[in-house]
Amino acid sequence: SNSLALISDAGHMVTDAAALGLALLAQLIARRPPSARHSFGFVRAEALAAFVNSLAMLLLVGWIVYEAVQRLAHPEHVGGKTVLIVAAIGACINIAVAWVLSRDEQSINTRAALVNVLGDLLGSIAAIAAGAVIHFTGWVRIDPILSIFVSLLILKSTVSILRESYHFLMEGVPHHIDYLKIGADLAGIPGVRSVHDLHVWDMSPGEPALIGHLEIDDLDAWPDVLRAVKAMLLDRHGIDHVTLQPEPVLQS
């Protein structure tokens, strides 16, 4: 059919087929228990898969836009009827896959795959529209125009997933947690003189962890201070995986 919209949709589906396979593999790996060499387990495999999927989507979007610009300048013949039929079949498949993936909203990896499939569905709808317009009017420039429009929609969702997976892989502070407030709250516990080497990250999505060093006035009071610290972190910040090292106040 020589349709850029249909070629883009087909290429996107091939990418998603590989992405879904990678997503499934990542979920299977993530279920493996911790080992002597991987004491944290393999939960980051899902975020890694989402990151790789997003990078592949960015490359695809770049190619689509480039080809679309070329065709706007030099229109090519497109078989509108063929585009219409094939795109309609693709849309039906995408709807079925999107419905299956939408039932799992917790996994970042599954959401990344769902974004790809929704992008496929938009691509199929755009291809259907392009095929109908070309078949009934003969206006072939609608093909690259709709390709660019769909690419921009895909780009917005892809960048969001890319940022989230990158933040998780780089062990960033969870978005719902105020790092500075935690430090202030720790310093405000009776018996705590100062806080340093404080780190907060997600061990797995939705499971924040904290490590740090606390200077305390009296090491003998450490059990009571630790209980107060853990209660505060759980109550105010939702953190229950805590590792803290007590240190005596350094004398100047």
Side-chain angles (χ1 to χ4, degrees):
S1 66
N2 197 36
S3 166
L4 179 60
L6 195 58
I7 292 173
S8 302
D9 191 29
H12 195 180
M13 286 188 180
V14 169
T15 303
D16 281 349
L20 290 172
L22 183 61
L24 176 60
L25 177 61
Q27 287 196 349
L28 294 176
I29 293 175
R31 294 175 183 173
R32 295 173 58 187
S35 66
R37 293 186 60 83
H38 300 91
S39 60
F40 281 100
F42 299 85
V43 293
R44 293 187 184 275
E46 291 192 54
L48 181 60
F51 187 78
V52 172
N53 289 352
S54 298
L55 290 180
M57 288 300 303
L58 290 180
L59 293 175
L60 181 61
V61 166
W63 176 80
I64 292 173
V65 172
Y66 173 79
E67 288 293 325
V69 170
Q70 298 299 312
R71 293 201 180 195
L72 283 173
H74 306 286
E76 299 182 13
H77 171 75
V78 176
K81 185 176 181 180
T82 302
V83 175
L84 188 59
I85 295 173
V86 176
I89 297 173
C92 293
I93 295 174
N94 284 320
I95 290 173
V97 176
W99 178 78
V100 172
L101 292 176
S102 65
R103 294 184 295 175
D104 180 10
E105 298 180 354
Q106 300 300 320
S107 169
I108 183 177
N109 191 30
T110 303
R111 285 194 291 124
L114 178 58
V115 166
N116 288 347
V117 173
L118 291 177
D120 272 340
L121 180 57
L122 289 174
S124 296
I125 293 173
I128 290 172
V133 171
I134 294 170
H135 179 66
F136 292 107
T137 70
W139 187 45
V140 294
R141 278 192 170 90
I142 187 65
D143 187 58
I145 289 174
L146 289 179
S147 296
I148 293 176
F149 173 73
V150 172
S151 296
L152 294 177
L153 293 177
I154 297 172
L155 181 63
K156 180 180 178 181
S157 300
T158 298
V159 169
S160 176
I161 293 294
L162 188 63
R163 286 177 177 174
E164 187 174 350
S165 57
Y166 171 80
H167 186 79
F168 181 74
L169 290 172
M170 295 301 294
E171 298 184 338
V173 177
H175 296 296
H176 67 284
I177 290 178
D178 188 335
Y179 175 83
L180 297 179
K181 184 67 167 57
I182 288 178
D185 288 344
L186 286 172
I189 296 292
V192 176
R193 183 67 62 89
S194 66
V195 183
H196 62 94
D197 291 337
L198 180 65
H199 302 280
V200 184
W201 76 103
D202 266 331
M203 295 185 62
S204 61
E207 296 184 12
L210 178 148
I211 61 174
H213 292 212
L214 301 182
E215 281 192 352
I216 62 175
D217 295 322
D218 182 7
L219 285 179
D220 292 335
W222 173 240
D224 294 331
V225 172
L226 181 59
R227 280 193 293 269
V229 166
K230 287 187 174 182
M232 180 275 294
L233 289 173
L234 183 59
D235 181 58
R236 299 183 187 178
H237 303 282
I239 302 174
D240 61 355
H241 191 96
V242 178
T243 304
L244 293 170
Q245 177 176 323
E247 298 178 352
V249 176
L250 298 178
Q251 301 296 328
S252 57

